[in-house]
Amino acid sequence: MAAKDSTFLGWPVLRQLATGDFLGRGAAATSRRTREQQPRTVTADRVVQSVCPYCAVGCGQKVFVSDEKVVQIEGDQDSPISRGRLCPKGAASEQLVNSPTRQTHVLYRAPGATEFTRMDRDEALDMVADRFVESRARTWQDHDEHGRPLRRTMGIASLGGATLDNEENYLIKKLFTAAGAIQIENQARI
Amino acid sequence: MANADCIIIQGSNMAECHPVGFQWVTEAKARGARVIHVDPRFTRTSAIADTHVPIRAGTDVVLLGALINHVLSNELYFHDYVVAYTNAATLVSDNFRDTEDLDGVFSGFDPETGTYDPSSWSYAERAAPPGPSPRAGGPAGEAVSGDGEIEGAGGDEQGSARRARAGGQEHGAAGPSLEHANVVRDESLQHPRSVFQILKRHYARYTPEMVRDVCGIPVEQFHEVARALTENSGRERTTCFAYALGWTQHSLGAQFIRTAAILQLLMGNMGRPGGGIMALRGHASIQGSTDIPTLFNILPGYLPMPIVGEHDTWQDYLDHISSPLQKGFWTEAPSYTASLLKAWWGEAATADNNFCYDYLPRLTGAHGTYQTVLAMLDDEVEGYFVLGQNPAVGSAHGSMQRKAMTHLKWLVVRDFQLIESATFWKDSPEIATGELRTEDIDTEVFFFPAANHVEKAGTFTQTQRMLQWRHQAVRPPNDAQSELDFFYDLGVRIRQRLAGSTDERDRPLLDLTWDYPTDEHGEVDGAAVLKEINGYHLTGEHAGELLDSFSQMRPDGSTSGGCWIYTGVFAGGVNRSANRVPGADQDEVAHEWGWAWPLNRRILYNRASADPEGRPWSERKAYVWWDEETRRWTGKDIPDFPIDRDPSFRPDPDVGGPAAIAGDDPFIMQADGKGWLFAPKGMVDGPLPTHYEAQESPVANPLYTQQSNPSRLVYPRKDNLWSPSGDEPGADVYPYVFTTYRLTEHHTAGGMSRWLPYLSELQPEMFCEVSPELAAERGLTNGDWATIISARSAIEARVLVTERMQPLTIQGHTVHQIGLPYHWGVGADAVVEGDGANDLLGIVLDPNVQIQESKVGSCDIQPGRRPRGEALLRLVADYQSRSGTTSETGNARLTEGDR
């Protein structure tokens, strides 16, 4: 189409006739700039099949990636559940990935502090592991008052899982149960 | 749903909360289906529906109970289905007393503990005098199941016995065990103790006039709904119900759903195309996080967590889950449990040590999220992980949630953005009122950035039990990581710290199988975890191969599998959750897209889609049927039934397990193979749903002296006060009903929506919906501010005056309802902020599932913004004082009166 612009074939009247846009309100009237624009979905390096992260309908998503960046997320027409459709949340999920306020660093707030400070992830993980082991030891319950085994801690709790993967929930339940932490809950209780 | 002839959406605003799923409702409508929407508000779901039925929040049992009464009295139920496939014909113990006999409570209630002993609800036994079943421990053959009762501190401050029940979920996916399936039946349905006659008597007073007086629904409209249901059920037609949190978030929420289940069984709509009850769940993997539970009371696959005093030994535990003499697949629980323990403790788990059963921690009561928050306030919890959830905004009683977190020593928040649960220590409403001071809060807070759904590979399980694999599109930025990587890494570090420990308590962590393959970036391979969940053959010629079905699991330690209901997702070594044959290239059941548990069956109990002889009830509704030639079940779906079980097969009455499933027992997970109209066990607050008013209600219960569910879990505290209800003095201080809900453009507590510019622009501000009549009564102006005051808190919202809210006439009085979306929260970081509706709520829980009552409460509304600072506390205190509420108000289990 662009090549035609430089010849007489690009003349508006001819374009009107050629495209059937006799009133000149459609394709014939578009500017060269508009015609040369391409959807991000065409220039993407790859398209990855995914699933919408909001409600539990499970709509199919197609994730368009360029230069290792997510450039667009659209409905997946192949999905027999959603047939290509997304609601406003699913359609906005590209912003979930690329939000300017998204946090990508570990933050730490010390007791009594008025602000967060950035912390190295490795250091933070070590601190959490230390606290986990200490709290577990401090709050350990071996037996109840009748001598029956409890083998647990009531000092460590967790909330969340309904937004996470099955594999993640599995590791969380497995690790916490082995550690004796039983107050493991998620949105299904809300 | 597209195959339904009538769809009744009740307790859900599907068009706005599940908009893409709603296309199947519109498709059904285009094919001629009737669509009915029952809801306090007129919403976009109502706009598409043929009929909108406004209802007073919390009264659904009356409407559904009246429909049950209607179909029983007028013989409009599906007779052949009811006789063959439900327990209608089964006789119940003559010790059973109904709420109709005891003015609102069933037999077996203990007012001291607020709990029921359900033994009088049991089935009458064959070849023995009818009576309560014996409760024996002893050898396996004699074992009696538990009933969900657990003892211990459940956070209940009232009563000396301090007992709480974790409820029905303990029984697993399909109800509790029975000692055997040796029941007495009267197929004429005439015996006065038959379930059918009990049901008839129980609902006899649930009349159209009662519906009018309790729900506010006109008699003609009741008949319109009844006609739509009955004309669209039977051999040729099916009706589908759909619900969401509008049914679950009540002090008798589980019983709301039970009422619909009874109705759908009576109408023959279970296990059939276009039938059933669709639970519309709100999170991408909330089904998955229940199947593989991050929940206190269950292990993967709905196996119970062990309870002290009930499951002290491995044998106690197995006996609790099922008796070998009951019918169905729960008798195989020893195989499922042994395989789970082998997956977790590998070589260390042997038959000699009961597969490390004693490594499992024990429950002593209900340890749900609300009990945990109360324990935090008592300084019993030191550390708390908050993972992709925002309790400061999303849980009931926001103020209590936030204050509880200030009692922690350390808090880990993993999310994409700085949600209110991560920043409450500096910008919560309690800082503004002066109740909290940042410098005084000693909680250490760790914020870890999370990877999102396109930055990791794994499965979500959607609302119809379907697992769908997501491929990783890009790597997470900077320090962001998945929960898979975070918890794997945390586990490695915890185990390093305990390495070499000789303390018995550390063995479960040190013996844990915790060795997952990682890629070149150190990211854990999610497929390896899914394979562990699927399970392996561990010995024999197939050792090392993945299992194809849970039926291959063995109780002797020769198989592993982290969640038996998910076994088969890797059948043949292929990740079936990643199946993506386009919908256009398949039939409408679409088996080649994703994988649904169990074993890729898309409609549960689908043997009920055929008649007792195995023929489709009608050509129009043919789905699964018996093929005489091949002597197998076949059809459009994978049969949810033993594949070669002849419809005429009748088992030896002394046999149990899958072998005891008769050819006409479609409900293969139920202990007697039948759909339960009457629940002899499993529901802790009654074998039949009964109407009780909500914890806060403007009216007295017209059916019984008993005002509210006597088994509901109450927490009498000064920071958890209730409005007086009904005729009690002070009830008029909080004269209006409020109900909370969601919008299309936001997601629960806003963590994944209020930080997104697109969505924040579409729904920028907290608002309340009021009727023109209420606006006139209180002087509220559309677009201006209003303050809503409950017995816990006061919030402000923009006023939306709309006819979508309709005043109801209840027993001659006008009842106004106010609609409140709950997505906003107070904080400094989101694109849009606002007061949180959940701050208005108190904590009262359904006793079966420990879910809070957040769909109905009492409030006042006044024009103008709420006071700032300490003045806000004074406003709330002034209302409390005028209403005369104390920590006793609303918390009596039994309502005093002439009983």
Side-chain angles (χ1 to χ4, degrees):
Chain A
M1 201 63 184
K4 287 180 184 173
D5 282 357
S6 53
T7 71
F8 74 95
L9 289 172
W11 292 357
V13 173
L14 287 180
R15 291 216 315 261
Q16 269 180 256
L17 292 172
T19 60
D21 180 18
F22 299 118
L23 295 175
R25 289 174 176 171
T30 55
S31 70
R32 178 173 173 166
R33 181 163 179 269
T34 300
R35 281 198 307 279
E36 287 180 357
Q37 274 184 343
Q38 283 188 301
R40 280 166 293 186
T41 49
V42 169
T43 55
D45 298 332
R46 60 179 185 274
V47 182
V48 180
Q49 278 186 309
S50 191
V51 178
C52 182
Y54 288 94
C55 84
V57 170
C59 299
Q61 289 192 332
K62 285 158 76 174
V63 183
F64 295 82
V65 181
S66 278
D67 296 330
E68 296 309 312
K69 287 283 210 193
V70 172
V71 292
Q72 178 64 314
I73 296 179
E74 292 187 353
D76 184 350
Q77 302 91 322
D78 287 348
S79 167
I81 299 170
S82 54
R83 299 190 291 194
R85 296 166 170 114
L86 290 176
C87 78
K89 293 188 290 291
S93 56
E94 177 271 327
Q95 287 193 335
L96 197 63
V97 183
N98 297 322
S99 154
T101 55
R102 184 172 171 197
Q103 301 295 323
T104 62
H105 293 283
V106 174
L107 299 174
Y108 173 70
R109 185 256 176 184
T114 55
E115 284 305 329
F116 273 124
T117 51
R118 196 185 278 193
M119 182 180 268
D120 175 63
R121 187 173 83 188
D122 209 45
E123 184 187 350
L125 263 161
D126 270 333
M127 287 171 74
V128 172
D130 287 340
R131 279 149 187 71
F132 191 102
V133 170
E134 286 160 17
S135 289
R136 177 174 176 268
R138 211 163 23 229
T139 58
W140 187 256
Q141 300 174 344
D142 229 25
H143 293 93
D144 71 359
E145 66 276 20
H146 305 294
R148 297 175 298 196
L150 293 173
R151 299 195 70 134
R152 70 182 190 190
T153 168
M154 297 297 280
I156 300 170
S158 177
L159 182 68
T163 56
L164 309 180
D165 295 354
N166 291 316
E167 297 75 20
E168 298 176 324
N169 277 291
Y170 181 76
L171 285 201
I172 294 167
K173 183 73 174 181
K174 183 177 174 181
L175 179 65
F176 279 125
T177 306
I182 57 174
Q183 297 160 104
I184 309 307
E185 288 277 280
N186 75 50
Q187 183 76 28
R189 187 84 61 202
I190 315 287
Chain B
M1 285 181 101
N3 293 315
D5 300 296
C6 174
I7 298 172
I8 300 177
I9 302 170
Q10 186 171 346
S12 153
N13 174 12
M14 189 177 179
E16 294 181 54
C17 297
H18 299 87
V20 180
F22 195 71
Q23 69 181 292
W24 301 107
V25 177
T26 50
E27 179 133 335
K29 194 171 180 230
R31 295 182 193 178
R34 277 295 297 276
V35 180
I36 292 170
H37 187 220
V38 183
D39 201 281
R41 293 185 305 139
F42 184 95
T43 66
R44 279 181 267 187
T45 306
S46 326
I48 298 285
D50 295 292
T51 305
H52 171 235
V53 181
I55 186 171
R56 180 166 66 89
T59 64
D60 302 54
V61 171
V62 176
L63 173 60
L64 297 168
L67 289 169
I68 291 171
N69 184 25
H70 177 80
V71 303
L72 292 177
S73 311
N74 297 294
E75 304 200 341
L76 296 166
Y77 55 92
F78 190 167
H79 177 268
D80 294 357
Y81 184 105
V82 168
V83 172
Y85 296 163
T86 76
N87 66 0
T90 309
L91 304 196
V92 170
S93 154
D94 62 0
N95 291 340
F96 172 67
R97 293 292 173 276
D98 191 70
T99 44
E100 290 293 294
D101 309 321
L102 303 177
D103 199 12
V105 288
F106 293 98
S107 47
F109 189 71
D110 179 352
E112 193 65 30
T113 60
T115 59
Y116 279 103
D117 170 0
S119 56
S120 64
W121 311 343
S122 59
Y123 289 153
E125 288 176 50
R126 192 157 65 189
S133 39
R135 291 186 65 87
E142 291 291 312
V144 174
S145 78
D147 55 10
E149 177 183 317
I150 47 181
E151 291 188 20
D156 182 348
E157 297 187 343
Q158 206 175 48
S160 55
R162 296 175 73 81
R163 288 147 71 100
R165 293 166 185 250
Q169 285 197 41
E170 267 180 37
H171 302 295
S177 66
L178 295 175
E179 299 84 68
H180 52 72
N182 227 344
V183 298
V184 192
R185 287 170 64 85
D186 168 23
E187 309 232 332
S188 76
L189 307 181
Q190 295 310 307
H191 194 289
R193 284 193 287 112
S194 67
V195 162
F196 186 84
Q197 294 297 330
I198 289 172
L199 204 60
K200 232 174 153 172
R201 292 194 297 273
H202 181 78
Y203 289 111
R205 289 194 300 134
Y206 291 64
T207 59
E209 293 70 30
M210 189 64 83
V211 171
R212 178 193 62 206
D213 291 343
V214 178
C215 312
I217 298 168
V219 170
E220 316 81 75
Q221 205 169 31
F222 170 80
H223 284 296
E224 188 189 340
V225 176
R227 263 197 312 278
L229 169 70
T230 54
E231 287 171 2
N232 290 296
S233 302
R235 284 177 182 271
E236 296 284 341
R237 306 179 80 78
T238 51
T239 292
C240 171
F241 272 81
Y243 75 94
L245 289 303
W247 271 2
T248 62
Q249 293 177 334
H250 292 279
S251 53
L252 60 154
Q255 295 282 16
F256 280 30
I257 300 151
R258 273 276 299 145
T259 327
I262 293 169
L263 191 56
Q264 285 293 68
L265 283 169
L266 288 172
M267 300 315 293
N269 284 325
M270 298 306 277
R272 301 180 63 203
I277 301 174
M278 177 78 80
L280 294 163
R281 310 198 67 176
H283 285 64
S285 201
I286 197 156
Q287 183 61 47
S289 64
T290 315
D291 304 332
I292 296 180
T294 35
L295 293 171
F296 82 87
N297 60 326
I298 39 177
L299 289 165
Y302 300 93
L303 296 165
M305 279 286 283
I307 300 165
V308 80
E310 287 194 35
H311 308 140
D312 290 336
T313 69
W314 171 236
Q315 196 59 49
D316 290 344
Y317 180 80
L318 297 181
D319 291 348
H320 172 99
I321 303 174
S322 66
S323 151
L325 287 182
Q326 74 177 47
K327 293 188 183 197
F329 285 87
W330 276 112
T331 58
E332 303 303 305
S335 299
Y336 314 148
T337 314
S339 297
L340 167 66
L341 297 177
K342 284 297 287 181
W344 282 10
W345 284 297
E347 296 292 316
T350 65
D352 290 341
N353 64 13
N354 297 322
F355 308 107
C356 298
Y357 172 72
D358 287 333
Y359 281 8
L360 293 171
R362 303 298 201 262
L363 309 184
T364 46
H367 310 297
T369 182
Y370 290 104
Q371 289 91 353
T372 299
V373 165
L374 295 170
M376 284 180 201
L377 289 167
D378 293 339
D379 294 321
E380 289 169 12
V381 182
E382 297 193 357
Y384 194 32
F385 291 83
V386 174
L387 315 169
Q389 200 165 330
N390 191 6
V393 176
S395 291
H397 208 324
S399 176
M400 193 186 281
Q401 300 285 337
R402 296 182 292 265
K403 285 178 187 161
M405 286 193 283
T406 69
H407 287 253
L408 297 166
K409 284 193 197 308
W410 51 274
L411 169 69
V412 173
V413 178
R414 291 184 41 81
D415 217 295
F416 309 135
Q417 307 274 359
L418 284 176
I419 56 172
E420 289 80 2
S421 299
T423 63
F424 64 94
W425 45 272
K426 61 174 174 178
D427 55 19
S428 73
E430 291 69 32
I431 301 280
T433 58
E435 293 169 273
L436 295 175
R437 217 173 64 94
T438 301
E439 293 79 359
D440 297 337
I441 298 171
D442 285 336
T443 310
E444 263 185 311
V445 183
F446 297 87
F447 179 88
F448 287 88
N452 64 39
H453 72 296
V454 301
E455 293 162 355
K456 60 189 182 187
T459 52
F460 288 147
T461 303
Q462 56 81 274
T463 200
Q464 288 165 291
R465 312 179 318 282
M466 188 198 296
L467 284 75
Q468 298 185 92
W469 183 264
R470 298 182 332 275
H471 298 277
Q472 185 180 28
V474 291
R475 295 205 54 235
N478 299 323
D479 285 342
Q481 64 181 157
S482 66
E483 265 65 21
L484 204 64
D485 291 330
F486 176 85
F487 279 98
Y488 175 63
D489 195 346
L490 182 64
V492 167
R493 288 171 203 246
I494 289 170
R495 280 153 53 95
Q496 278 166 358
R497 280 158 177 73
L498 299 176
S501 163
T502 53
D503 196 325
E504 265 305 290
R505 77 175 65 156
D506 297 330
R507 291 306 333 152
L509 276 168
L510 295 173
D511 289 342
L512 196 65
T513 55
W514 203 255
D515 185 20
Y516 295 101
T518 53
D519 67 11
E520 69 269 27
H521 306 292
E523 291 178 19
V524 175
D525 177 11
V529 180
L530 189 58
K531 285 178 186 170
E532 178 178 320
I533 293 168
N534 178 89
Y536 292 93
H537 293 278
L538 299 177
T539 59
E541 55 172 328
H542 296 294
E545 290 176 24
L546 287 150
L547 299 176
D548 293 330
S549 162
F550 56 80
S551 63
Q552 295 170 329
M553 286 181 163
R554 294 290 173 265
D556 59 3
S558 64
T559 56
S560 70
C563 180
W564 69 276
I565 56 177
Y566 281 21
T567 304
V569 67
F570 251 103
V574 176
N575 183 354
R576 311 221 165 228
S577 70
N579 284 352
R580 286 294 183 279
V581 174
D585 300 344
Q586 307 190 55
D587 66 21
E588 63 177 3
V589 182
H591 280 110
E592 299 299 315
W593 183 277
W595 182 89
W597 69 262
L599 302 173
N600 212 16
R601 296 164 186 172
R602 301 298 168 110
I603 293 183
L604 286 180
Y605 301 131
N606 56 32
R607 192 260 172 256
S609 68
D611 70 12
E613 285 73 43
R615 303 163 304 205
W617 288 108
S618 64
E619 273 316 301
R620 192 164 174 267
K621 293 289 170 179
Y623 195 65
V624 162
W625 56 86
W626 174 252
D627 183 349
E628 269 303 336
E629 226 155 85
T630 59
R631 311 218 36 88
R632 292 169 78 80
W633 289 92
T634 184
K636 299 175 183 173
D637 197 353
I638 295 162
D640 191 19
F641 203 64
I643 193 78
D644 55 356
R645 184 75 37 98
D646 191 302
S648 63
F649 172 78
R650 294 295 175 272
D652 177 336
D654 295 327
V655 168
I661 297 170
D664 63 350
D665 280 340
F667 295 94
I668 57 170
M669 300 306 290
Q670 295 293 101
D672 58 355
K674 304 299 182 195
W676 284 7
L677 300 168
F678 177 96
K681 278 184 179 170
M683 300 298 286
V684 301
D685 54 353
L688 289 171
T690 298
H691 173 67
Y692 299 112
E693 287 293 325
Q695 173 78 357
E696 289 184 323
S697 166
V699 301
N701 189 349
L703 277 152
Y704 311 101
T705 302
Q706 182 61 30
Q707 171 75 2
S708 35
N709 184 357
S711 304
R712 73 198 185 285
L713 302 182
V714 291
Y715 300 93
R717 302 169 57 102
K718 283 189 178 140
D719 55 1
N720 192 37
L721 297 176
W722 301 102
S723 161
S725 285
D727 308 327
E728 292 176 323
D732 56 341
V733 173
Y734 305 98
Y736 307 123
V737 175
F738 71 89
T739 187
T740 62
Y741 58 87
R742 286 166 53 160
L743 304 167
T744 308
E745 297 80 5
H746 281 298
H747 189 241
T748 62
M752 288 165 66
S753 62
R754 273 187 293 112
W755 275 262
L756 273 55
Y758 290 156
L759 298 174
S760 297
E761 187 175 341
L762 288 167
Q763 284 291 2
E765 229 170 351
M766 172 65 185
F767 61 89
C768 59
E769 288 189 52
V770 297
S771 66
E773 293 84 351
L774 176 57
E777 188 170 307
R778 276 293 189 256
L780 305 168
T781 308
N782 190 55
D784 279 0
W785 292 94
T787 296
I788 301 114
I789 308 104
S790 78
R792 277 73 54 188
S793 187
I795 64 165
E796 64 184 17
R798 293 282 187 181
V799 176
L800 177 61
V801 180
T802 170
E803 288 169 11
R804 301 192 303 212
M805 302 303 294
Q806 197 174 312
L808 299 175
T809 304
I810 306 293
Q811 299 166 42
H813 301 289
T814 301
V815 171
H816 290 288
Q817 306 192 89
I818 298 169
L820 298 171
Y822 75 89
H823 302 291
W824 284 270
V826 174
D829 199 68
V831 178
V832 290
E833 62 136 8
D835 282 0
N838 286 336
D839 284 15
L840 295 176
L841 298 170
I843 294 179
V844 60
L845 308 178
D846 174 297
N848 288 288
V849 292
Q850 321 279 328
I851 290 175
Q852 80 289 339
E853 181 158 82
S854 46
K855 286 298 177 191
V856 52
S858 294
C859 68
D860 189 20
I861 186 165
Q862 294 289 346
R865 304 195 72 157
R866 64 167 166 79
R868 263 48 197 173
E870 205 201 335
L872 177 66
L873 302 178
R874 285 200 297 273
L875 174 73
V876 174
D878 174 56
Y879 266 81
Q880 291 169 344
S881 151
R882 281 199 287 127
S883 74
T885 180
T886 69
S887 54
E888 303 291 306
T889 305
N891 288 326
R893 287 184 173 122
L894 288 181
T895 310
E896 308 222 342
D898 308 322
R899 196 179 294 276

